Amino acid sequence: MTEVIVVGSPREAGELVAGAILRLVSDRPDAVLGLATGSTPLPVYEALRPHARALARVRGFALDEYVGLPAGHTESYRAVIDREVVGPLGLDPARVRVPGDDIAAESARLGGGPAADELALATAGDRYEQALAAAGGVDLQLLGIGATGHIGFNEPGSSFASLTRVKTLTERTRRDNARFFASPDEVPQHCITQGLGTILRARHLVLLAFGAAKSDAVAGAVEGAVTSSLPASAIQLHPHATVVVDAAAASRLRFLDYYRQAWAHKPAWQQI
Ligand code: PGA
């Protein structure tokens, strides 16, 4: 089953998940991390900062990226990952990929111009999948969850078999993310995101959520029907999924007492 761990604060969640990442990296220094953006994973990155030396050889693959932002925009997920993760944790930038990060190079290879740009975008998902496979797949995938129930930018209706591809953002997601932009109109319509099928291939999924605004999406993901109408419910199909939530995000869970009991009595030898 999906393991649900209710923590006292985002900081505590960050420490817990950072501990799992450090154990992974001590076994395999070049482990592959699936990186998430947004506010939710920040406590994990913060908790990892004192351990940056252990992370020098880690490889990273981001979940998603906007399509259509001007190159170098400060809210592109490439810029966010560089600012929040690569820089503070001392990762090697060459070992960290973001979907679509090779579009300009691929377009140039094809001769440049609008048609080459389009083709490079249309095929970027396939190239990302190839890069993930060549890296041996993701060992631990961090996930946030949107109010729409999205993981990555897989909005409701996303196929459980989907791979990295271009998607249209819902208006709800554009509104939720408008806080990062000067005006809501600046939020792109399109994105390129790992698919639900891509995410399900990761060996360990760690979904974090904080605050009451996420409580419905969390309850649906963990205990609701497995349905593409709530893409995060795909985690129920995964053999090793861990959901780390604060009390507010956990407040709509039906089996909350059981999750708390299981965590309180978890054998010391078992890891998350
Ligand atoms: P948030 O976004 O962490 O900024 O709330 C989560 C998501 O949309 O996946």
Side-chain angles (χ1 to χ4, degrees), residues 60-95:
F61 283 86
L63 275 172
D64 45 16
E65 174 61 294
Y66 293 113
V67 170
L69 286 178
H73 193 288
T74 54
E75 292 307 324
S76 75
Y77 285 174
R78 175 85 242 178
V80 172
I81 290 275
D82 284 349
R83 194 164 63 232
E84 309 283 3
V85 187
V86 173
L89 301 186
L91 305 192
D92 176 355
R95 289 171 175 249

PDB file of all heavy atoms in Angstrom, residues 60-95:
ATOM      1  N   GLY A  60      20.361  14.122 -11.861  1.00  0.00           N
ATOM      2  CA  GLY A  60      19.000  14.589 -11.614  1.00  0.00           C
ATOM      3  C   GLY A  60      18.209  14.747 -12.899  1.00  0.00           C
ATOM      4  O   GLY A  60      18.765  15.112 -13.943  1.00  0.00           O
ATOM      5  N   PHE A  61      16.923  14.458 -12.807  1.00  0.00           N
ATOM      6  CA  PHE A  61      15.994  14.685 -13.924  1.00  0.00           C
ATOM      7  C   PHE A  61      14.777  15.416 -13.375  1.00  0.00           C
ATOM      8  O   PHE A  61      14.093  14.902 -12.479  1.00  0.00           O
ATOM      9  CB  PHE A  61      15.547  13.356 -14.543  1.00  0.00           C
ATOM     10  CG  PHE A  61      16.589  12.725 -15.423  1.00  0.00           C
ATOM     11  CD1 PHE A  61      17.573  11.912 -14.878  1.00  0.00           C
ATOM     12  CD2 PHE A  61      16.603  12.960 -16.791  1.00  0.00           C
ATOM     13  CE1 PHE A  61      18.547  11.333 -15.678  1.00  0.00           C
ATOM     14  CE2 PHE A  61      17.570  12.390 -17.607  1.00  0.00           C
ATOM     15  CZ  PHE A  61      18.546  11.571 -17.042  1.00  0.00           C
ATOM     16  N   ALA A  62      14.515  16.607 -13.897  1.00  0.00           N
ATOM     17  CA  ALA A  62      13.336  17.353 -13.451  1.00  0.00           C
ATOM     18  C   ALA A  62      12.078  16.744 -14.068  1.00  0.00           C
ATOM     19  O   ALA A  62      12.119  16.096 -15.108  1.00  0.00           O
ATOM     20  CB  ALA A  62      13.469  18.814 -13.847  1.00  0.00           C
ATOM     21  N   LEU A  63      10.968  16.978 -13.380  1.00  0.00           N
ATOM     22  CA  LEU A  63       9.689  16.439 -13.837  1.00  0.00           C
ATOM     23  C   LEU A  63       9.146  17.168 -15.056  1.00  0.00           C
ATOM     24  O   LEU A  63       8.533  16.554 -15.929  1.00  0.00           O
ATOM     25  CB  LEU A  63       8.641  16.615 -12.727  1.00  0.00           C
ATOM     26  CG  LEU A  63       8.543  15.571 -11.646  1.00  0.00           C
ATOM     27  CD1 LEU A  63       7.575  16.061 -10.579  1.00  0.00           C
ATOM     28  CD2 LEU A  63       8.049  14.242 -12.218  1.00  0.00           C
ATOM     29  N   ASP A  64       9.300  18.498 -15.060  1.00  0.00           N
ATOM     30  CA  ASP A  64       8.541  19.253 -16.056  1.00  0.00           C
ATOM     31  C   ASP A  64       9.165  20.615 -16.306  1.00  0.00           C
ATOM     32  O   ASP A  64      10.080  21.034 -15.585  1.00  0.00           O
ATOM     33  CB  ASP A  64       7.066  19.398 -15.624  1.00  0.00           C
ATOM     34  CG  ASP A  64       6.914  19.793 -14.147  1.00  0.00           C
ATOM     35  OD1 ASP A  64       7.894  20.246 -13.533  1.00  0.00           O
ATOM     36  OD2 ASP A  64       5.802  19.655 -13.619  1.00  0.00           O
ATOM     37  N   GLU A  65       8.655  21.290 -17.311  1.00  0.00           N
ATOM     38  CA  GLU A  65       9.172  22.616 -17.694  1.00  0.00           C
ATOM     39  C   GLU A  65       8.074  23.347 -18.472  1.00  0.00           C
ATOM     40  O   GLU A  65       7.245  22.704 -19.134  1.00  0.00           O
ATOM     41  CB  GLU A  65      10.427  22.441 -18.552  1.00  0.00           C
ATOM     42  CG  GLU A  65      11.024  23.701 -19.152  1.00  0.00           C
ATOM     43  CD  GLU A  65      11.495  24.734 -18.124  1.00  0.00           C
ATOM     44  OE1 GLU A  65      10.636  25.288 -17.412  1.00  0.00           O
ATOM     45  OE2 GLU A  65      12.721  24.976 -18.057  1.00  0.00           O
ATOM     46  N   TYR A  66       8.053  24.651 -18.350  1.00  0.00           N
ATOM     47  CA  TYR A  66       7.149  25.441 -19.187  1.00  0.00           C
ATOM     48  C   TYR A  66       7.651  25.434 -20.628  1.00  0.00           C
ATOM     49  O   TYR A  66       8.849  25.301 -20.880  1.00  0.00           O
ATOM     50  CB  TYR A  66       7.108  26.887 -18.703  1.00  0.00           C
ATOM     51  CG  TYR A  66       6.476  27.070 -17.340  1.00  0.00           C
ATOM     52  CD1 TYR A  66       7.249  27.482 -16.262  1.00  0.00           C
ATOM     53  CD2 TYR A  66       5.117  26.869 -17.151  1.00  0.00           C
ATOM     54  CE1 TYR A  66       6.679  27.683 -15.012  1.00  0.00           C
ATOM     55  CE2 TYR A  66       4.533  27.066 -15.907  1.00  0.00           C
ATOM     56  CZ  TYR A  66       5.316  27.472 -14.839  1.00  0.00           C
ATOM     57  OH  TYR A  66       4.758  27.662 -13.615  1.00  0.00           O
ATOM     58  N   VAL A  67       6.722  25.621 -21.543  1.00  0.00           N
ATOM     59  CA  VAL A  67       7.070  25.826 -22.946  1.00  0.00           C
ATOM     60  C   VAL A  67       6.680  27.251 -23.309  1.00  0.00           C
ATOM     61  O   VAL A  67       5.557  27.681 -22.993  1.00  0.00           O
ATOM     62  CB  VAL A  67       6.319  24.826 -23.858  1.00  0.00           C
ATOM     63  CG1 VAL A  67       6.486  25.190 -25.333  1.00  0.00           C
ATOM     64  CG2 VAL A  67       6.816  23.409 -23.610  1.00  0.00           C
ATOM     65  N   GLY A  68       7.600  27.981 -23.944  1.00  0.00           N
ATOM     66  CA  GLY A  68       7.243  29.299 -24.469  1.00  0.00           C
ATOM     67  C   GLY A  68       7.775  30.473 -23.670  1.00  0.00           C
ATOM     68  O   GLY A  68       7.540  31.618 -24.044  1.00  0.00           O
ATOM     69  N   LEU A  69       8.466  30.212 -22.556  1.00  0.00           N
ATOM     70  CA  LEU A  69       9.064  31.337 -21.830  1.00  0.00           C
ATOM     71  C   LEU A  69      10.319  31.802 -22.585  1.00  0.00           C
ATOM     72  O   LEU A  69      11.012  30.983 -23.195  1.00  0.00           O
ATOM     73  CB  LEU A  69       9.481  30.914 -20.410  1.00  0.00           C
ATOM     74  CG  LEU A  69       8.358  30.716 -19.398  1.00  0.00           C
ATOM     75  CD1 LEU A  69       8.931  30.251 -18.066  1.00  0.00           C
ATOM     76  CD2 LEU A  69       7.547  31.999 -19.215  1.00  0.00           C
ATOM     77  N   PRO A  70      10.615  33.107 -22.537  1.00  0.00           N
ATOM     78  CA  PRO A  70      11.852  33.570 -23.163  1.00  0.00           C
ATOM     79  C   PRO A  70      13.060  32.859 -22.541  1.00  0.00           C
ATOM     80  O   PRO A  70      13.034  32.538 -21.339  1.00  0.00           O
ATOM     81  CB  PRO A  70      11.895  35.067 -22.824  1.00  0.00           C
ATOM     82  CG  PRO A  70      10.546  35.417 -22.308  1.00  0.00           C
ATOM     83  CD  PRO A  70       9.859  34.170 -21.872  1.00  0.00           C
ATOM     84  N   ALA A  71      14.081  32.611 -23.343  1.00  0.00           N
ATOM     85  CA  ALA A  71      15.286  31.922 -22.830  1.00  0.00           C
ATOM     86  C   ALA A  71      15.822  32.665 -21.611  1.00  0.00           C
ATOM     87  O   ALA A  71      15.873  33.894 -21.598  1.00  0.00           O
ATOM     88  CB  ALA A  71      16.346  31.871 -23.927  1.00  0.00           C
ATOM     89  N   GLY A  72      16.170  31.915 -20.577  1.00  0.00           N
ATOM     90  CA  GLY A  72      16.762  32.522 -19.384  1.00  0.00           C
ATOM     91  C   GLY A  72      15.756  33.129 -18.421  1.00  0.00           C
ATOM     92  O   GLY A  72      16.147  33.746 -17.429  1.00  0.00           O
ATOM     93  N   HIS A  73      14.449  32.968 -18.675  1.00  0.00           N
ATOM     94  CA  HIS A  73      13.426  33.509 -17.769  1.00  0.00           C
ATOM     95  C   HIS A  73      13.652  32.951 -16.356  1.00  0.00           C
ATOM     96  O   HIS A  73      13.884  31.750 -16.191  1.00  0.00           O
ATOM     97  CB  HIS A  73      12.037  33.121 -18.283  1.00  0.00           C
ATOM     98  CG  HIS A  73      10.924  33.860 -17.616  1.00  0.00           C
ATOM     99  ND1 HIS A  73      10.537  33.626 -16.321  1.00  0.00           N
ATOM    100  CD2 HIS A  73      10.113  34.849 -18.068  1.00  0.00           C
ATOM    101  CE1 HIS A  73       9.544  34.425 -15.998  1.00  0.00           C
ATOM    102  NE2 HIS A  73       9.256  35.185 -17.046  1.00  0.00           N
ATOM    103  N   THR A  74      13.524  33.830 -15.349  1.00  0.00           N
ATOM    104  CA  THR A  74      13.872  33.394 -13.989  1.00  0.00           C
ATOM    105  C   THR A  74      12.908  32.356 -13.431  1.00  0.00           C
ATOM    106  O   THR A  74      13.220  31.700 -12.444  1.00  0.00           O
ATOM    107  CB  THR A  74      13.888  34.595 -13.012  1.00  0.00           C
ATOM    108  OG1 THR A  74      12.626  35.269 -13.097  1.00  0.00           O
ATOM    109  CG2 THR A  74      15.015  35.547 -13.327  1.00  0.00           C
ATOM    110  N   GLU A  75      11.700  32.233 -14.029  1.00  0.00           N
ATOM    111  CA  GLU A  75      10.753  31.238 -13.526  1.00  0.00           C
ATOM    112  C   GLU A  75      10.679  29.985 -14.390  1.00  0.00           C
ATOM    113  O   GLU A  75       9.816  29.134 -14.172  1.00  0.00           O
ATOM    114  CB  GLU A  75       9.356  31.860 -13.362  1.00  0.00           C
ATOM    115  CG  GLU A  75       9.303  32.903 -12.253  1.00  0.00           C
ATOM    116  CD  GLU A  75       9.841  32.401 -10.907  1.00  0.00           C
ATOM    117  OE1 GLU A  75       9.634  31.203 -10.591  1.00  0.00           O
ATOM    118  OE2 GLU A  75      10.494  33.178 -10.192  1.00  0.00           O
ATOM    119  N   SER A  76      11.562  29.902 -15.400  1.00  0.00           N
ATOM    120  CA  SER A  76      11.640  28.608 -16.090  1.00  0.00           C
ATOM    121  C   SER A  76      12.095  27.589 -15.052  1.00  0.00           C
ATOM    122  O   SER A  76      12.818  27.942 -14.099  1.00  0.00           O
ATOM    123  CB  SER A  76      12.637  28.668 -17.249  1.00  0.00           C
ATOM    124  OG  SER A  76      13.957  28.642 -16.739  1.00  0.00           O
ATOM    125  N   TYR A  77      11.678  26.351 -15.201  1.00  0.00           N
ATOM    126  CA  TYR A  77      12.067  25.359 -14.202  1.00  0.00           C
ATOM    127  C   TYR A  77      13.559  25.050 -14.278  1.00  0.00           C
ATOM    128  O   TYR A  77      14.156  24.633 -13.292  1.00  0.00           O
ATOM    129  CB  TYR A  77      11.190  24.111 -14.303  1.00  0.00           C
ATOM    130  CG  TYR A  77       9.806  24.340 -13.725  1.00  0.00           C
ATOM    131  CD1 TYR A  77       8.812  23.370 -13.829  1.00  0.00           C
ATOM    132  CD2 TYR A  77       9.485  25.523 -13.053  1.00  0.00           C
ATOM    133  CE1 TYR A  77       7.547  23.576 -13.283  1.00  0.00           C
ATOM    134  CE2 TYR A  77       8.224  25.734 -12.510  1.00  0.00           C
ATOM    135  CZ  TYR A  77       7.260  24.756 -12.631  1.00  0.00           C
ATOM    136  OH  TYR A  77       6.006  24.951 -12.093  1.00  0.00           O
ATOM    137  N   ARG A  78      14.168  25.283 -15.458  1.00  0.00           N
ATOM    138  CA  ARG A  78      15.634  25.158 -15.516  1.00  0.00           C
ATOM    139  C   ARG A  78      16.269  26.163 -14.553  1.00  0.00           C
ATOM    140  O   ARG A  78      17.153  25.815 -13.775  1.00  0.00           O
ATOM    141  CB  ARG A  78      16.110  25.426 -16.949  1.00  0.00           C
ATOM    142  CG  ARG A  78      17.612  25.454 -17.109  1.00  0.00           C
ATOM    143  CD  ARG A  78      18.178  24.064 -17.305  1.00  0.00           C
ATOM    144  NE  ARG A  78      19.082  23.648 -16.264  1.00  0.00           N
ATOM    145  CZ  ARG A  78      19.672  22.453 -16.216  1.00  0.00           C
ATOM    146  NH1 ARG A  78      19.438  21.544 -17.139  1.00  0.00           N
ATOM    147  NH2 ARG A  78      20.471  22.133 -15.251  1.00  0.00           N
ATOM    148  N   ALA A  79      15.753  27.415 -14.593  1.00  0.00           N
ATOM    149  CA  ALA A  79      16.314  28.451 -13.720  1.00  0.00           C
ATOM    150  C   ALA A  79      16.025  28.125 -12.256  1.00  0.00           C
ATOM    151  O   ALA A  79      16.877  28.298 -11.378  1.00  0.00           O
ATOM    152  CB  ALA A  79      15.743  29.815 -14.093  1.00  0.00           C
ATOM    153  N   VAL A  80      14.811  27.634 -11.978  1.00  0.00           N
ATOM    154  CA  VAL A  80      14.440  27.306 -10.599  1.00  0.00           C
ATOM    155  C   VAL A  80      15.309  26.154 -10.072  1.00  0.00           C
ATOM    156  O   VAL A  80      15.839  26.221  -8.959  1.00  0.00           O
ATOM    157  CB  VAL A  80      12.932  26.939 -10.508  1.00  0.00           C
ATOM    158  CG1 VAL A  80      12.587  26.416  -9.125  1.00  0.00           C
ATOM    159  CG2 VAL A  80      12.070  28.150 -10.862  1.00  0.00           C
ATOM    160  N   ILE A  81      15.468  25.129 -10.889  1.00  0.00           N
ATOM    161  CA  ILE A  81      16.289  23.977 -10.465  1.00  0.00           C
ATOM    162  C   ILE A  81      17.746  24.416 -10.238  1.00  0.00           C
ATOM    163  O   ILE A  81      18.387  24.011  -9.267  1.00  0.00           O
ATOM    164  CB  ILE A  81      16.214  22.843 -11.523  1.00  0.00           C
ATOM    165  CG1 ILE A  81      14.816  22.204 -11.530  1.00  0.00           C
ATOM    166  CG2 ILE A  81      17.313  21.814 -11.331  1.00  0.00           C
ATOM    167  CD1 ILE A  81      14.571  21.114 -10.539  1.00  0.00           C
ATOM    168  N   ASP A  82      18.248  25.281 -11.115  1.00  0.00           N
ATOM    169  CA  ASP A  82      19.633  25.760 -10.932  1.00  0.00           C
ATOM    170  C   ASP A  82      19.753  26.554  -9.630  1.00  0.00           C
ATOM    171  O   ASP A  82      20.720  26.391  -8.879  1.00  0.00           O
ATOM    172  CB  ASP A  82      20.060  26.642 -12.115  1.00  0.00           C
ATOM    173  CG  ASP A  82      20.370  25.804 -13.349  1.00  0.00           C
ATOM    174  OD1 ASP A  82      20.465  24.564 -13.224  1.00  0.00           O
ATOM    175  OD2 ASP A  82      20.518  26.388 -14.440  1.00  0.00           O
ATOM    176  N   ARG A  83      18.724  27.379  -9.353  1.00  0.00           N
ATOM    177  CA  ARG A  83      18.765  28.287  -8.195  1.00  0.00           C
ATOM    178  C   ARG A  83      18.532  27.546  -6.878  1.00  0.00           C
ATOM    179  O   ARG A  83      19.175  27.800  -5.877  1.00  0.00           O
ATOM    180  CB  ARG A  83      17.680  29.339  -8.418  1.00  0.00           C
ATOM    181  CG  ARG A  83      17.737  30.547  -7.541  1.00  0.00           C
ATOM    182  CD  ARG A  83      16.862  31.660  -8.120  1.00  0.00           C
ATOM    183  NE  ARG A  83      15.448  31.338  -8.194  1.00  0.00           N
ATOM    184  CZ  ARG A  83      14.693  31.449  -9.296  1.00  0.00           C
ATOM    185  NH1 ARG A  83      15.215  31.837 -10.441  1.00  0.00           N
ATOM    186  NH2 ARG A  83      13.413  31.136  -9.273  1.00  0.00           N
ATOM    187  N   GLU A  84      17.570  26.611  -6.876  1.00  0.00           N
ATOM    188  CA  GLU A  84      17.149  25.964  -5.623  1.00  0.00           C
ATOM    189  C   GLU A  84      17.903  24.666  -5.340  1.00  0.00           C
ATOM    190  O   GLU A  84      17.956  24.231  -4.198  1.00  0.00           O
ATOM    191  CB  GLU A  84      15.645  25.624  -5.650  1.00  0.00           C
ATOM    192  CG  GLU A  84      14.731  26.764  -6.042  1.00  0.00           C
ATOM    193  CD  GLU A  84      14.522  27.769  -4.920  1.00  0.00           C
ATOM    194  OE1 GLU A  84      15.143  27.599  -3.859  1.00  0.00           O
ATOM    195  OE2 GLU A  84      13.756  28.724  -5.136  1.00  0.00           O
ATOM    196  N   VAL A  85      18.384  24.033  -6.390  1.00  0.00           N
ATOM    197  CA  VAL A  85      18.925  22.681  -6.201  1.00  0.00           C
ATOM    198  C   VAL A  85      20.397  22.613  -6.621  1.00  0.00           C
ATOM    199  O   VAL A  85      21.266  22.345  -5.788  1.00  0.00           O
ATOM    200  CB  VAL A  85      18.093  21.634  -6.991  1.00  0.00           C
ATOM    201  CG1 VAL A  85      18.554  20.223  -6.643  1.00  0.00           C
ATOM    202  CG2 VAL A  85      16.603  21.793  -6.718  1.00  0.00           C
ATOM    203  N   VAL A  86      20.662  22.865  -7.893  1.00  0.00           N
ATOM    204  CA  VAL A  86      22.012  22.642  -8.415  1.00  0.00           C
ATOM    205  C   VAL A  86      23.035  23.508  -7.675  1.00  0.00           C
ATOM    206  O   VAL A  86      24.052  22.997  -7.198  1.00  0.00           O
ATOM    207  CB  VAL A  86      22.060  22.921  -9.939  1.00  0.00           C
ATOM    208  CG1 VAL A  86      23.497  22.847 -10.457  1.00  0.00           C
ATOM    209  CG2 VAL A  86      21.181  21.923 -10.679  1.00  0.00           C
ATOM    210  N   GLY A  87      22.748  24.806  -7.544  1.00  0.00           N
ATOM    211  CA  GLY A  87      23.685  25.716  -6.887  1.00  0.00           C
ATOM    212  C   GLY A  87      23.877  25.373  -5.420  1.00  0.00           C
ATOM    213  O   GLY A  87      24.986  25.014  -4.989  1.00  0.00           O
ATOM    214  N   PRO A  88      22.780  25.436  -4.614  1.00  0.00           N
ATOM    215  CA  PRO A  88      22.941  25.220  -3.161  1.00  0.00           C
ATOM    216  C   PRO A  88      23.470  23.833  -2.801  1.00  0.00           C
ATOM    217  O   PRO A  88      24.138  23.678  -1.785  1.00  0.00           O
ATOM    218  CB  PRO A  88      21.530  25.397  -2.604  1.00  0.00           C
ATOM    219  CG  PRO A  88      20.762  26.113  -3.653  1.00  0.00           C
ATOM    220  CD  PRO A  88      21.424  25.847  -4.969  1.00  0.00           C
ATOM    221  N   LEU A  89      23.160  22.822  -3.615  1.00  0.00           N
ATOM    222  CA  LEU A  89      23.589  21.472  -3.260  1.00  0.00           C
ATOM    223  C   LEU A  89      24.885  21.085  -3.967  1.00  0.00           C
ATOM    224  O   LEU A  89      25.377  19.964  -3.798  1.00  0.00           O
ATOM    225  CB  LEU A  89      22.488  20.454  -3.585  1.00  0.00           C
ATOM    226  CG  LEU A  89      21.152  20.692  -2.860  1.00  0.00           C
ATOM    227  CD1 LEU A  89      20.192  19.547  -3.128  1.00  0.00           C
ATOM    228  CD2 LEU A  89      21.359  20.851  -1.359  1.00  0.00           C
ATOM    229  N   GLY A  90      25.414  21.999  -4.769  1.00  0.00           N
ATOM    230  CA  GLY A  90      26.688  21.737  -5.440  1.00  0.00           C
ATOM    231  C   GLY A  90      26.623  20.592  -6.427  1.00  0.00           C
ATOM    232  O   GLY A  90      27.612  19.885  -6.636  1.00  0.00           O
ATOM    233  N   LEU A  91      25.456  20.394  -7.046  1.00  0.00           N
ATOM    234  CA  LEU A  91      25.370  19.331  -8.055  1.00  0.00           C
ATOM    235  C   LEU A  91      26.130  19.769  -9.306  1.00  0.00           C
ATOM    236  O   LEU A  91      26.332  20.953  -9.555  1.00  0.00           O
ATOM    237  CB  LEU A  91      23.910  19.035  -8.424  1.00  0.00           C
ATOM    238  CG  LEU A  91      22.940  18.672  -7.307  1.00  0.00           C
ATOM    239  CD1 LEU A  91      21.634  18.143  -7.902  1.00  0.00           C
ATOM    240  CD2 LEU A  91      23.518  17.640  -6.357  1.00  0.00           C
ATOM    241  N   ASP A  92      26.507  18.784 -10.100  1.00  0.00           N
ATOM    242  CA  ASP A  92      27.159  19.068 -11.372  1.00  0.00           C
ATOM    243  C   ASP A  92      26.053  19.418 -12.382  1.00  0.00           C
ATOM    244  O   ASP A  92      25.235  18.564 -12.707  1.00  0.00           O
ATOM    245  CB  ASP A  92      27.930  17.807 -11.789  1.00  0.00           C
ATOM    246  CG  ASP A  92      28.581  17.949 -13.147  1.00  0.00           C
ATOM    247  OD1 ASP A  92      28.359  18.985 -13.814  1.00  0.00           O
ATOM    248  OD2 ASP A  92      29.287  17.000 -13.549  1.00  0.00           O
ATOM    249  N   PRO A  93      26.039  20.679 -12.892  1.00  0.00           N
ATOM    250  CA  PRO A  93      24.945  21.078 -13.799  1.00  0.00           C
ATOM    251  C   PRO A  93      24.831  20.159 -15.013  1.00  0.00           C
ATOM    252  O   PRO A  93      23.732  19.951 -15.536  1.00  0.00           O
ATOM    253  CB  PRO A  93      25.331  22.496 -14.238  1.00  0.00           C
ATOM    254  CG  PRO A  93      26.389  22.950 -13.311  1.00  0.00           C
ATOM    255  CD  PRO A  93      27.020  21.738 -12.686  1.00  0.00           C
ATOM    256  N   ALA A  94      25.948  19.594 -15.445  1.00  0.00           N
ATOM    257  CA  ALA A  94      25.913  18.724 -16.623  1.00  0.00           C
ATOM    258  C   ALA A  94      25.183  17.412 -16.339  1.00  0.00           C
ATOM    259  O   ALA A  94      24.792  16.695 -17.260  1.00  0.00           O
ATOM    260  CB  ALA A  94      27.333  18.430 -17.083  1.00  0.00           C
ATOM    261  N   ARG A  95      25.012  17.095 -15.046  1.00  0.00           N
ATOM    262  CA  ARG A  95      24.326  15.844 -14.693  1.00  0.00           C
ATOM    263  C   ARG A  95      22.857  16.048 -14.372  1.00  0.00           C
ATOM    264  O   ARG A  95      22.188  15.120 -13.891  1.00  0.00           O
ATOM    265  CB  ARG A  95      25.000  15.217 -13.462  1.00  0.00           C
ATOM    266  CG  ARG A  95      26.367  14.655 -13.753  1.00  0.00           C
ATOM    267  CD  ARG A  95      27.050  14.254 -12.443  1.00  0.00           C
ATOM    268  NE  ARG A  95      28.315  13.617 -12.717  1.00  0.00           N
ATOM    269  CZ  ARG A  95      28.563  12.307 -12.497  1.00  0.00           C
ATOM    270  NH1 ARG A  95      27.659  11.543 -11.970  1.00  0.00           N
ATOM    271  NH2 ARG A  95      29.732  11.805 -12.797  1.00  0.00           N
TER     272      ARG A  95
END
